[in-house]
Amino acid sequence: MMGSAEEKRIEDELSYPILLAERVRAAAEEAESFKVDCAEVGKQVDRLSQMLRPLVRSTTSVQSLYERPIRRVVSEVSKNLERALTLVRKCKRQSILRRVVRITSATDFRKVSNLLDASIGDMKWLMGVLDTENNGTASGIFLSLPPIASNDPIISWVWSYIATVQMGQLADRIEAANNLASLARDNDRNKKITVEEGGIPPLLKLLKESSSPEAQIAAANALFVLANELERVRSIVDEMGVPIVVQVLGDSPMKVQIPVAKLVATMAEHDQLAQEDFARENVIRPLVTLLSFEAFVEDSKAQLGKQSIHSIVINKELEKFSSTGSNSRNFSYRPYANSYSNLHLEGSSRGGNHRKERENEKPEVKIQLKINCAEALWLLAKGSVSNSRRITETKGLLCLAKLVETEEGELQYNCLMAIMEITAAAESNSDLRRAAFKTNSPAAKAVIDQLLRVIKELDSPTLQVPAIRSVGSLARTFPARETRVIGPLVKQLDNKDQEVAVEAAIALQKFASPDNFLCMDHSKSIIEFNGVPSLMRLLRCGDKAQLHRVVLLCYLAIHAGDNEALEQARVLTALEGADRMVVAHHPDLKELVPRAIYQLNLYHTGAHPQRQLYEP
């Protein structure tokens, strides 16, 4: 029923209660009984009619009308007028039999009178919200409680705020958007009501107010609060919000870009469809460009001499990306995103003005923008091979590596998480792995250098875990001679933080796994870096992570079973114990452990003659 009502034009919705009011008034004049009561009903209906007519005029004069409360109120008014018409018609001259069947009492009139009073209150509220008396020119947000919302006051506030955002003066629209955001922060129900009552379109409209950064910030913040759940994000996407967001991100001052980048991140986090839409609108290039703003420092010759080799490589590559960015051939934007091509370029006066503004911004503002852009890239890359590929194609890896090197805290963490997601995508896609992480690639080398530095030098599990996972995801890209990545991982097996130690074991598994073409060479390297004693010590701990260490020991035994280090560490004895204990809880090891035991017995004959050899 609601769907059919929504399909009608608002003028048609309003014409019906006006027609009903005329019928009630005519019936009241023809009443033969309860004349006084019918006359009172007629007066109430006249008041409603006097409110409905100017409402019709205002709906035709307002360009962007917020219809949701109008439809709800008018629908309720129509129901009450129908009840009044039914009652008043009973008071016409009728046969005695009909009078007996249709008994009318003063109580019936009191009920109808109360309903009409409620409708009058609703109409007063509606006219106040729509500002019909001043033709929408009055300032301020109209807040009061109409009878229709007496059981749920929140909905009347939401209606008032949305109406102001859509139809009010700019200052009031900003205030209303901020109030909507505050209301939505309270609970998910308020968020749901805001979306259901049509709050998304006026907020997107406010987001496009390029003449007022404050308006754009208020709209972006409100949309960010709403976009923490898939259905609400989908509502933004369905209202063509993605191209609008990308356009604003590309052509706005830095203080606007900060909440907009945060909005991109949360939408990508909660909806894969939004991820794909953002990719189609080329949001990754502006994010990378904003992230790389001032990422490389123009050092003096004295400072240049102090830089590391990989820092010089990163800076040169980023400078190359910055210069190629000014070539229009590198941009393949859709109409909404085309404005971004001039953001950092000298050819656009508006883009040039924003650039000057960014250069003069406070350092903490610049850092916050980079934090949000890095988070957006992280969540866009999460689970998406296509987005990860786009990031690597825009020199994003170099930028992320540079920031991991130079920054700290949340920005460094977000960059590491972005790298972790890109490497995870590369692990699952051989084409991406070969294209982005070639051994002679400056970007790949810069990333690996920084990952190893984080693993070796930073005593922070929060940062070490994504770095270790990233190296593990790239296990199949390292040649046999690239042993520098093995040593730091082996060392982390003894890390006091269990999560770091477990992640190191999982990463080393990927080097020694049969899925890795160079598993035999990597297994020997793990043993040479003294990984077996560390695994044996951890194995005796008997914690929940024992499975990963058993698997790694099995791979080492299978691929390097003739190594004396395995015999000296009594790995065979340990695996026989694991065969009885761990396998019972992990059926996946049912074949792996016996195979490893067989391999060890093969090379260390006589060590355990009582053990029946495993035949694979």
Side-chain angles (χ1 to χ4, degrees):
M1 186 170 181
M2 198 65 195
S4 62
E6 289 289 340
E7 292 173 1
K8 291 182 180 179
R9 293 170 60 248
I10 192 67
E11 292 84 356
D12 296 334
E13 289 280 341
L14 288 167
S15 62
Y16 179 60
I18 293 174
L19 178 62
L20 281 175
E22 293 295 333
R23 291 175 179 175
V24 172
R25 187 169 56 182
E29 291 174 355
E30 296 174 0
E32 294 292 332
S33 59
F34 293 97
K35 290 185 178 182
V36 174
D37 294 308
C38 288
E40 288 297 321
V41 169
K43 291 179 182 178
Q44 290 176 301
V45 169
D46 281 339
R47 291 185 63 188
L48 280 174
S49 181
Q50 291 168 8
M51 294 177 181
L52 287 165
R53 294 182 187 281
L55 183 60
V56 175
R57 291 192 295 271
S58 67
T59 56
T60 55
S61 61
V62 176
Q63 289 183 347
S64 180
L65 182 68
Y66 178 46
E67 299 181 0
R68 190 78 176 188
I70 299 176
R71 294 182 183 277
R72 287 283 297 276
V73 168
V74 169
S75 174
E76 195 66 23
V77 169
S78 297
K79 290 178 184 177
N80 293 339
L81 286 172
E82 287 172 351
R83 292 179 182 132
L85 180 60
T86 301
L87 178 63
V88 172
R89 279 179 172 174
K90 291 179 180 180
C91 298
K92 289 180 67 175
R93 179 177 295 174
Q94 297 171 341
S95 64
I96 296 177
L97 179 60
R98 284 197 171 187
R99 289 181 187 178
V100 172
V101 174
R102 298 182 179 181
I103 299 175
T104 303
S105 66
T107 303
D108 296 325
F109 279 96
R110 282 195 298 271
K111 290 179 180 178
V112 168
S113 179
N114 290 336
L115 292 173
L116 293 175
D117 280 338
S119 291
I120 291 169
D122 290 336
M123 287 299 300
K124 285 182 178 178
W125 174 86
L126 188 59
M127 295 176 73
V129 169
L130 300 178
D131 189 26
T132 55
E133 294 181 1
N134 300 291
N135 295 319
T137 59
S139 61
I141 303 172
F142 183 83
L143 287 177
S144 68
L145 183 63
I148 196 173
S150 57
N151 293 328
D152 191 4
I154 294 296
I155 198 167
S156 66
W157 297 348
V158 170
W159 281 339
S160 295
Y161 293 144
I162 294 177
T164 304
V165 172
Q166 184 156 327
M167 301 184 297
Q169 305 296 315
L170 184 58
D172 297 329
R173 293 171 69 194
I174 295 171
E175 182 185 356
N178 289 328
N179 287 333
L180 266 181
S182 178
L183 202 63
R185 285 190 193 97
D186 289 343
N187 54 64
D188 285 341
R189 182 177 182 272
N190 291 354
K191 296 182 182 71
K192 184 179 180 182
I193 291 174
T194 301
V195 173
E196 288 178 347
E197 297 304 320
I200 299 296
L203 287 172
L204 289 172
K205 180 182 176 183
L206 186 64
L207 186 62
K208 293 193 291 184
E209 287 286 349
S210 57
S211 62
S212 172
E214 289 74 18
Q216 292 179 301
I217 292 170
N221 287 334
L223 288 167
F224 169 76
V225 175
L226 295 173
N228 70 338
E229 187 263 343
L230 188 147
E231 289 186 7
R232 290 192 288 274
V233 174
R234 194 63 56 84
S235 297
I236 298 175
V237 173
D238 291 344
E239 294 293 341
M240 298 302 294
V242 169
I244 294 172
V245 171
V246 175
Q247 181 189 23
V248 174
L249 177 68
D251 193 17
S252 298
M254 188 174 284
K255 61 182 179 180
V256 175
Q257 290 171 325
I258 288 173
V260 173
K262 192 76 173 174
L263 176 59
V264 173
T266 192
M267 289 179 66
E269 179 182 12
H270 291 96
D271 185 12
Q272 187 177 1
L273 180 62
Q275 255 189 353
E276 296 170 358
D277 276 13
F278 276 123
R280 279 193 290 270
E281 295 296 331
N282 293 294
V283 75
I284 287 170
R285 183 174 286 273
L287 286 171
V288 171
T289 307
L290 291 172
L291 193 62
S292 64
F293 179 70
E294 293 185 342
F296 55 94
V297 182
E298 295 179 0
D299 297 302
S300 63
K301 291 183 179 180
Q303 290 172 319
L304 190 61
K306 298 178 183 179
Q307 282 186 297
S308 64
I309 296 298
H310 65 263
S311 294
I312 296 172
V313 171
I314 294 173
N315 288 345
K316 286 187 178 296
E317 289 292 328
L318 283 172
E319 288 170 2
K320 190 187 300 181
F321 172 54
S322 181
S323 64
T324 57
S326 62
N327 190 334
S328 61
R329 289 176 299 175
N330 290 323
F331 288 84
S332 58
Y333 280 78
R334 293 190 173 197
Y336 272 110
N338 277 338
S339 60
Y340 184 77
S341 61
N342 296 323
L343 175 60
H344 293 292
L345 312 182
E346 301 299 331
S348 168
S349 60
R350 185 170 185 177
N353 291 336
H354 288 328
R355 180 163 190 151
K356 291 178 181 178
E357 290 173 7
R358 281 191 291 278
E359 290 172 349
N360 296 326
E361 277 288 1
K362 297 177 181 178
E364 56 267 27
V365 175
K366 296 177 182 178
I367 287 293
Q368 189 59 54
L369 176 59
K370 290 182 179 181
I371 288 172
N372 292 359
C373 287
E375 183 183 18
L377 287 175
W378 158 23
L379 295 169
L380 284 165
K382 188 173 183 179
S384 174
V385 172
S386 59
N387 282 353
S388 297
R389 180 180 288 109
R390 286 184 175 94
I391 294 172
T392 61
E393 290 171 350
T394 58
K395 303 293 183 183
L397 278 177
L398 278 168
C399 181
L400 292 169
K402 180 64 178 177
L403 292 173
V404 170
E405 178 190 17
T406 59
E407 302 297 336
E408 297 178 349
E410 190 176 0
L411 177 54
Q412 187 182 39
Y413 172 77
N414 287 349
C415 290
L416 278 170
M417 294 301 290
I419 291 172
M420 185 187 77
E421 293 299 341
I422 294 168
T423 55
E427 181 180 14
S428 67
N429 186 277
S430 58
D431 291 337
L432 174 59
R433 191 165 61 247
R434 285 191 291 267
F437 294 98
K438 294 180 291 188
T439 54
N440 61 346
S441 165
K445 186 178 184 304
V447 168
I448 297 302
D449 286 343
Q450 291 310 311
L451 292 175
L452 293 178
R453 184 185 69 84
V454 170
I455 294 170
K456 292 189 290 186
E457 299 178 12
L458 301 187
D459 186 19
S460 169
T462 302
L463 300 177
Q464 287 174 309
V465 166
I468 291 171
R469 287 179 181 172
S470 298
V471 173
S473 294
L474 298 176
R476 281 183 280 183
T477 66
F478 297 108
R481 66 180 182 275
E482 191 76 58
T483 59
R484 67 187 182 115
V485 298
I486 302 291
L489 293 177
V490 170
K491 188 175 180 181
Q492 295 307 319
L493 291 173
D494 292 324
N495 196 298
K496 294 179 181 178
D497 187 278
Q498 180 175 310
E499 186 179 6
V500 174
V502 171
E503 290 298 336
I506 294 172
L508 288 170
Q509 279 181 39
K510 296 178 181 180
F511 282 86
S513 168
D515 295 334
N516 194 315
F517 181 73
L518 299 173
C519 57
M520 295 183 68
D521 297 291
H522 292 318
S523 296
K524 291 175 183 177
S525 297
I526 294 171
I527 295 173
E528 288 172 3
F529 279 105
N530 213 26
V532 175
S534 298
L535 287 170
M536 294 296 292
R537 282 194 298 272
L538 293 169
L539 205 59
R540 288 192 290 269
C541 295
D543 55 29
K544 295 180 180 179
Q546 193 180 46
L547 168 67
H548 302 294
R549 291 142 192 170
V550 171
V551 171
L552 181 53
L553 274 176
C554 288
Y555 287 157
L556 297 181
I558 292 169
H559 300 135
D562 58 342
N563 196 293
E564 291 183 1
L566 298 174
E567 184 177 7
Q568 291 172 2
R570 300 180 64 83
V571 172
L572 181 57
T573 304
L575 289 181
E576 286 177 335
D579 192 17
R580 292 188 295 268
M581 298 170 58
V582 179
V583 176
H585 299 91
H586 302 283
D588 295 342
L589 300 180
K590 188 174 182 180
E591 294 184 3
L592 184 63
V593 174
R595 184 181 175 190
I597 292 172
Y598 167 77
Q599 203 72 17
L600 289 172
N601 272 315
L602 187 65
Y603 287 106
H604 306 291
T605 56
H608 293 270
Q610 77 282 5
R611 178 76 183 183
Q612 184 178 353
L613 295 184
Y614 167 78
E615 296 182 2

